[in-house]
Amino acid sequence: VYKTNLLVKMLCLVANKAATLDPSGIGMDMEANKPGWYDSLNGLPGLLGSSIAETLELKRLALFMLDTFDQLSVNGSEPVLIFEELALFIEELKGILDEKIDALDYWKKSNTAKEEYREKVRLGICGVEREMALCDVRRFLEAIVRKVNAGLQKAKGPDGLFPTYYYYKVTKYEAVDGVPPSKEGPRVRPLLFERHEMPLFLEGFVHGLRCEKDSVLARGLHEKVRKSPLYDRALGMYKLNADITSETEEVGRTRVFPRGWLENESIWLHMEYKYILELLRRGLYEEFYAALSTCCVAFMPPKRYGRSILENSSFLVSSAHHDQELHGQGFVARLSGSTAEFIHIWMVMNAGLSPFVMKGKNEVELALRPALKAEFFTKEASRPEVVRDGKAFSVALAANTYAFMFMGRTLVVYHNSKRKDTFGAKGAKAVRTELVYAGTKKAHVVSGATIPCAQARDVRDGKVERIDIYLE
């Protein structure tokens, strides 16, 4: 058993992914014979398929590690111990990344390095570790980001949009000397490829937004998506993919469904919720709420939806479907991935992206930063029923408030007397916070929005029964 740290584990993942870019340096090869999230493209791996979604996740992983180095202010000369086989693999990849070669040559060399690495570790590792300076690790990650960015730039069309999926045809090859033919035929080495770009899929833009830290660029990408065939103007929703009727049925089972139905050009709720979650995470609040009003099941016309708006569906029929009476109707009600995305959206709306933040290296503060529209606050006083530890009880709420249960134990009440949005430059900000501990009535008062370390720990431990935050 070999034990190491999280950094080495992530480097192992990054190195393998960086050596799996497709022959154009755009997508990531489907070498595991699976297409990724969009599993109805189950024929694509057999066509030498690749996906830009995984490439973008490689970039996000590298950027996360680089950001962490900056946050920790680590010294560039500090060493990290890496098992020998991975250290050699990274060193070889660094050299290949530094070479000024085209995408096809990179594909050949990086795959050779990866196959040699995997052959070495197939039955285990030798156990010897090597030191690698963190400055060298940083340069390796920065080179990967540059490589991915170059591929992404190549993928963009004149409209600034990019395909999510590709597949390749080998147009030139040579026989591999000394290798006998298998029952499938002779062994060959590909020399040239022809790339085929699939129509647009929403998945790629979810990952694109996830990697884009600049809100201005993120807004620009979103506006392009809204102008694309992925936006269903009749429903105000986002389709899973654009028209793929021109594609061969070899790409997978998605081609057997009629347009707008099930896994072909429908409103696949899980992916659509992923998309609007990224709008929220990127700080595009107006765009997020505009999308929420038409994309969230809770706000849909029940008659059109065809079932209770308190339950999600697997998919909704889009306006691409030939039967107009089915447009916007939900099918296959279940606890699908859309539920997980909805809970994530709910958490960010109520508590912010990172409610708990580090102070120094050993302490944690709590700062709730909601992103709520003004109309979400009550207009009258009320006594709603809430549940804690399986027990229901009523609470008194004044007018102009919004309440939710934080971490399942603590009732948080926002007081917004001026009824303003809680986001944006002119949004309402916290001026006072009051914490009430279980079994007591006296409130602990904190100035502003940040709850200090000791009280933040109490909230995490479930000792705080209620938090009232006053906004102005």
Side-chain angles (χ1 to χ4, degrees), residues 4 10 28 45 52 74 83 89 139 160 182 216 265 267 280 324 336 373 383 387 400 420 444:
T4 186
M10 294 176 76
M28 192 168 292
I52 208 170
V74 292
F83 62 93
F89 183 29
R139 281 194 286 268
S182 68
V216 174
E265 212 176 339
I267 310 297
L280 178 60
Q324 190 171 351
S336 67
K373 288 285 282 183
R383 291 192 66 89
V387 178
N400 305 316
K420 295 162 64 177
H444 179 91

Side-chain angles (χ1 to χ4, degrees), residues 213-463:
K213 295 182 179 181
D214 189 315
S215 60
V216 174
L217 295 178
R219 181 174 287 107
L221 181 59
H222 169 61
E223 290 171 354
K224 292 181 176 68
V225 172
R226 275 180 58 86
K227 295 176 183 177
S228 79
L230 292 173
Y231 184 59
D232 191 327
R233 287 164 179 77
L235 298 177
M237 304 180 80
Y238 295 87
K239 296 187 291 185
L240 189 56
N241 56 277
D243 184 7
I244 58 171
T245 52
S246 61
E247 294 295 323
T248 170
E249 290 185 359
E250 288 182 308
V251 300
R253 69 175 184 269
T254 186
R255 273 285 287 110
V256 305
F257 299 114
R259 294 183 63 190
W261 179 261
L262 235 164
E263 295 172 305
N264 178 22
E265 212 176 339
S266 70
I267 310 297
W268 198 265
L269 205 59
H270 186 192
M271 186 53 67
E272 184 181 53
Y273 276 15
K274 280 178 177 287
Y275 184 78
I276 64 174
L277 168 61
E278 292 310 319
L279 296 179
L280 178 60
R281 282 159 55 98
R282 296 284 72 80
L284 306 182
Y285 300 116
E286 296 296 343
E287 291 81 357
F288 164 73
Y289 276 106
L292 192 73
S293 65
T294 55
C295 297
C296 182
V297 167
F299 302 129
M300 290 179 187
K303 187 175 181 180
R304 189 192 73 186
Y305 186 52
R307 59 188 342 112
S308 169
I309 57 171
L310 300 182
E311 63 182 21
N312 286 330
S313 294
S314 191
F315 75 96
L316 284 73
V317 179
S318 77
S319 63
H321 195 267
H322 63 274
D323 188 347
Q324 190 171 351
E325 291 186 4
L326 294 178
H327 293 178
Q329 189 169 335
F331 287 86
V332 193
R334 63 179 184 177
L335 288 172
S336 67
S338 56
T339 305
E341 306 302 339
F342 179 81
I343 291 171
H344 197 163
I345 290 168
W346 181 87
M347 283 299 299
V348 176
M349 286 172 60
N350 287 312
L353 277 173
S354 302
F356 289 103
V357 294
M358 292 296 297
K359 182 182 181 183
K361 290 190 176 181
N362 299 312
E363 292 292 347
V364 174
E365 293 180 331
L366 173 59
L368 297 171
R369 295 185 176 87
L372 298 167
K373 288 285 282 183
E375 55 261 36
F376 278 35
F377 289 82
T378 63
K379 293 182 179 179
E380 299 175 352
S382 60
R383 291 192 66 89
E385 190 175 81
V386 298
V387 178
R388 181 189 292 118
D389 296 331
K391 297 179 181 179
F393 59 96
S394 64
V395 294
L397 296 178
N400 305 316
T401 58
Y402 176 103
F404 76 103
M405 291 296 286
F406 183 57
M407 298 178 68
R409 297 293 308 278
T410 303
L411 179 69
V412 175
V413 182
Y414 294 117
H415 299 258
N416 188 358
S417 59
K418 295 181 180 179
R419 299 189 62 80
K420 295 162 64 177
D421 294 339
T422 68
F423 54 83
K426 297 181 180 180
K429 302 293 188 294
V431 294
R432 188 173 85 258
T433 301
E434 297 179 357
L435 296 86
V436 177
Y437 283 73
T440 66
K441 291 184 178 180
K442 186 178 180 181
H444 179 91
V445 181
V446 176
S447 177
T450 302
I451 298 173
C453 303
Q455 288 73 37
R457 193 182 305 114
D458 290 339
V459 174
R460 295 177 75 186
D461 292 341
K463 296 178 181 178

Side-chain angles (χ1 to χ4, degrees), residues 25 81 88 129 138 149 180-181 270 299 340 357 456:
L81 289 174
L88 292 172
E129 292 181 316
R138 178 184 287 275
N149 283 342
H270 186 192
F299 302 129
V357 294

